Amino acid sequence: MPKTKYVEIYEDLKQKIEKNMYEYQQLLPSENTLVKEYECSRNTVRRAIGNLVNDGYVQTKHGQGARVIYQDFKQNEYMFGETETFKEFALRNLKKHETKVVVFEELTVDEAIHEHTLLPIGVEVYHIQRVRHLEGNPVIMDYNYFRKDVVKGLTVDIAEDSIYEYLARELNQRAVTAKRKMVVERTTEADEKYLKLDGFNSVVVVTSHIFNADGVMFEHTQSRHTPGNFVFFDQTQRK
Amino acid sequence: MPKTKYVEIYEDLKQKIEKNMYEYQQLLPSENTLVKEYECSRNTVRRAIGNLVNDGYVQTKHGQGARVIYQDFKQNEYMFGETETFKEFALRNLKKHETKVVVFEELTVDEAIHEHTLLPIGVEVYHIQRVRHLEGNPVIMDYNYFRKDVVKGLTVDIAEDSIYEYLARELNQRAVTAKRKMVVERTTEADEKYLKLDGFNSVVVVTSHIFNADGVMFEHTQSRHTPGNFVFFDQTQRK
DNA sequence: TGGTATTTGTCCGTATGTATC
DNA sequence: GGATACATACGGACAAATACC
């Protein structure tokens, strides 16, 4: 699939910023200059720049230009909370990883489950409980609910490898929108039984509602992270 | 200042979704229909819808339409981590609030301060340490550094009210971009001395780098939240 | 099954307004 | 005041995915 023009420009500019070809606090070339450089319309350039703004790479000012505010953070090795899956994360950081399935069962959503998952009453789901290990240490407990009409044919083997790889490869399904809520809670007995808490009496609880391309909320997950391995980044602009 | 057209359309659609005039899982009217309805160009409609996508209110699908995926969460009373200031948050939730200044001093950034704030060496800053109270309970410790060349004339009185209100009113300055990092750390002696921890041996540490309209990073803040009062929401789409 | 209409996605060009330099 | 630069808005063209008959 060919990349679109504005994505190409966006990625090119992004890379140039990361390589300090455009430096911190410097203005990007004006939109009209970039129009000539990339031989495209001004709208296309503006779209690319808009994406850089969303990433916190530049900040635009009316009448002035787009100023680089990217700073080369020391790349934190841990980085949960983004769209990345556990396996992707582990591979990117070259970490030994392992997933152990504690519970694997099939249920029908009742009032109680609906209450905390928002999944519709009556639909059939897989309920999976997994412990995620990094470098041999148990660092995350996942409680998943997957709609069986969307995620067909799950097995324990798949759940120990990567459900999302299976979804993409076999079912042509993927997560499009993820809504997440993060809180910190006191540990439960299960947390203390399964996780390596390093003295913490709390865990970071990330509750996710995940929608596929058809707008169906097909997954509800509660991930309980050991605090020592949890980092979350975020950037916002107000206009 | 008159609102722009696309913001008006965006806010109108948003409100209609919140009021269930467009229901969960329903498709919005097509772009061409909305063009007629709002008497504007298609680009303008698309921009409004794009903002709804960013808010996690709708999800678009090529050739099909924009489907509502907004769900009426029970509005959490606590909601830190957004762009809101402490005072705005307290007022919105009708909470009694109070800020006590523990440290107020003027410093010059040296190597050590630069290292953890990224503020340039040699610039003069206010260093402020504050305890934030909600309903009488100390729930946040703030460690602020403000550049004196941007934030002129700070006083203890201002720091106990709202620095951002002062910035806007007196100096015509404001936060445009905020970059944040969240981690959970074990409590320090200062945390235990000043905060009501309710048995937690950890705090949520939000480290912020804040840029003004000129692209100057004028503030570095570390906020240490008691876990029980911290909630963070987030939504992402991948295309 | 296939063809047509609908709908979103990309891209272009132009005009006007407004803030900055 | 004039030149530059970003922001908003319009309109049109075509491609690509989907829906419908």
Side-chain angles (χ1 to χ4, degrees):
Chain A
M1 198 170 61
K3 277 180 192 170
T4 59
K5 221 165 186 175
Y6 81 88
V7 171
E8 273 181 10
I9 298 171
Y10 157 69
E11 288 177 350
D12 189 57
L13 290 172
K14 187 166 187 170
Q15 196 191 32
K16 284 177 175 166
I17 291 169
E18 286 168 353
K19 289 183 178 168
N20 286 313
M21 294 171 64
Y22 299 122
E23 291 177 10
Y24 183 62
Q25 290 296 335
Q26 191 182 334
L27 292 175
L28 293 188
S30 77
E31 292 173 356
N32 284 324
T33 306
L34 292 173
V35 161
K36 289 168 196 158
E37 207 166 294
Y38 291 105
E39 292 176 327
C40 67
S41 75
R42 198 171 146 231
N43 279 334
T44 304
V45 164
R46 282 180 62 73
R47 221 169 146 182
I49 292 175
N51 283 349
L52 294 174
V53 171
N54 287 337
D55 291 346
Y57 272 49
V58 304
Q59 184 179 286
T60 61
K61 187 173 179 184
H62 196 156
Q64 184 177 76
R67 172 164 276 115
V68 177
I69 56 170
Y70 169 83
Q71 284 161 304
D72 197 8
F73 263 114
K74 21 184 176 295
Q75 187 64 6
N76 277 69
E77 56 176 346
Y78 292 113
M79 167 81 182
F80 287 115
E82 279 309 313
T83 58
E84 224 171 24
T85 67
F86 177 75
K87 187 172 175 180
E88 285 166 355
F89 165 79
L91 292 176
R92 179 168 65 76
N93 291 284
L94 304 173
K95 297 279 179 192
K96 264 185 51 192
H97 63 281
E98 194 183 3
T99 298
K100 288 183 187 163
V101 173
V102 176
V103 172
F104 187 99
E105 58 182 355
E106 304 180 15
L107 300 172
T108 302
V109 174
D110 60 18
E111 188 84 33
I113 296 176
H114 166 74
E115 196 65 29
H116 85 275
T117 65
L118 295 183
L119 288 163
I121 292 172
V123 306
E124 301 195 332
V125 292
Y126 295 104
H127 175 226
I128 305 171
Q129 190 174 331
R130 295 183 286 180
V131 182
R132 313 283 212 167
H133 296 250
L134 272 186
E135 301 293 347
N137 296 318
V139 294
I140 306 175
M141 283 273 294
D142 269 1
Y143 298 83
N144 304 109
Y145 292 89
F146 287 99
R147 281 183 69 140
K148 281 176 66 178
D149 55 348
V150 175
V151 183
K152 298 179 171 70
L154 272 195
T155 65
V156 171
D157 279 351
I158 294 168
E160 295 206 327
D161 181 21
S162 168
I163 291 176
Y164 271 84
E165 278 184 15
Y166 168 76
L167 279 185
R169 194 179 54 238
E170 303 295 330
L171 302 180
N172 198 28
Q173 287 278 349
R174 59 198 193 83
V176 171
T177 301
K179 303 190 192 183
R180 285 188 298 246
K181 174 183 173 182
M182 273 168 271
V183 298
V184 176
E185 290 181 4
R186 289 296 293 271
T187 51
T188 62
E189 284 183 14
D191 295 331
E192 277 155 24
K193 177 176 173 190
Y194 289 107
L195 297 177
K196 182 166 184 295
L197 289 161
D198 287 328
F200 281 97
N201 65 11
S202 61
V203 291
V204 180
V205 180
V206 180
T207 306
S208 310
H209 299 266
I210 312 232
F211 295 78
N212 71 3
D214 297 320
V216 176
M217 196 195 105
F218 70 99
E219 173 187 353
H220 174 278
T221 290
Q222 186 188 92
S223 291
R224 302 175 72 85
H225 298 250
T226 54
N229 295 288
F230 186 85
V231 181
F232 189 81
F233 291 94
D234 171 68
Q235 60 263 324
T236 61
Q237 312 83 39
R238 10 183 169 186
K239 302 222 50 181
Chain B
M1 198 171 59
K3 278 180 193 169
T4 59
K5 221 165 186 175
Y6 81 89
V7 171
E8 273 181 10
I9 298 171
Y10 158 69
E11 288 177 350
D12 188 57
L13 290 172
K14 186 166 187 168
Q15 196 190 33
K16 284 177 176 166
I17 292 170
E18 286 169 352
K19 288 182 178 167
N20 285 313
M21 293 170 66
Y22 299 122
E23 292 177 9
Y24 183 63
Q25 292 296 336
Q26 191 181 332
L27 291 177
L28 293 187
S30 76
E31 293 173 358
N32 285 324
T33 307
L34 292 173
V35 162
K36 288 167 196 157
E37 209 166 293
Y38 291 105
E39 292 176 325
C40 65
S41 73
R42 194 172 148 228
N43 279 331
T44 304
V45 164
R46 282 180 62 72
R47 214 162 153 191
I49 292 175
N51 284 347
L52 293 174
V53 171
N54 287 336
D55 292 346
Y57 272 48
V58 304
Q59 184 179 285
T60 61
K61 188 172 179 183
H62 195 159
Q64 185 176 78
R67 173 164 275 116
V68 177
I69 57 171
Y70 168 83
Q71 284 162 304
D72 198 9
F73 263 116
K74 16 184 177 299
Q75 187 66 6
N76 276 70
E77 57 176 346
Y78 292 112
M79 168 76 180
F80 287 116
E82 279 307 314
T83 59
E84 226 172 22
T85 67
F86 177 74
K87 187 172 175 181
E88 285 166 356
F89 165 79
L91 292 175
R92 178 168 66 77
N93 291 286
L94 303 173
K95 296 279 178 191
K96 263 186 52 192
H97 63 283
E98 193 182 3
T99 298
K100 289 181 187 164
V101 173
V102 177
V103 172
F104 187 99
E105 58 183 354
E106 305 181 17
L107 301 173
T108 302
V109 174
D110 59 18
E111 188 84 33
I113 296 176
H114 167 73
E115 197 64 29
H116 85 275
T117 65
L118 294 183
L119 288 163
I121 292 172
V123 306
E124 301 195 331
V125 293
Y126 293 104
H127 175 227
I128 305 172
Q129 190 174 331
R130 296 184 286 179
V131 182
R132 314 283 211 167
H133 297 251
L134 271 186
E135 302 292 347
N137 296 319
V139 294
I140 307 175
M141 282 273 294
D142 270 0
Y143 298 83
N144 304 110
Y145 292 90
F146 288 98
R147 281 182 71 138
K148 280 175 68 179
D149 56 347
V150 176
V151 184
K152 298 178 169 70
L154 273 195
T155 65
V156 171
D157 279 351
I158 294 168
E160 295 206 327
D161 181 21
S162 168
I163 291 176
Y164 271 84
E165 278 185 14
Y166 168 76
L167 278 186
R169 194 178 54 238
E170 304 294 330
L171 301 181
N172 198 30
Q173 288 278 350
R174 59 198 192 82
V176 171
T177 302
K179 303 189 192 184
R180 283 188 299 245
K181 174 184 174 182
M182 273 168 271
V183 299
V184 176
E185 291 181 4
R186 290 296 294 271
T187 52
T188 62
E189 285 183 14
D191 295 330
E192 277 156 25
K193 176 177 173 189
Y194 288 108
L195 297 177
K196 183 168 184 294
L197 288 161
D198 288 328
F200 281 99
N201 66 11
S202 61
V203 291
V204 180
V205 180
V206 180
T207 306
S208 310
H209 298 267
I210 311 225
F211 296 77
N212 72 2
D214 297 320
V216 176
M217 196 196 107
F218 70 100
E219 175 186 353
H220 174 279
T221 291
Q222 184 187 93
S223 291
R224 303 175 73 85
H225 298 250
T226 55
N229 295 288
F230 186 85
V231 181
F232 189 81
F233 291 94
D234 170 69
Q235 61 261 326
T236 61
Q237 311 84 41
R238 9 183 170 186
K239 299 224 51 181

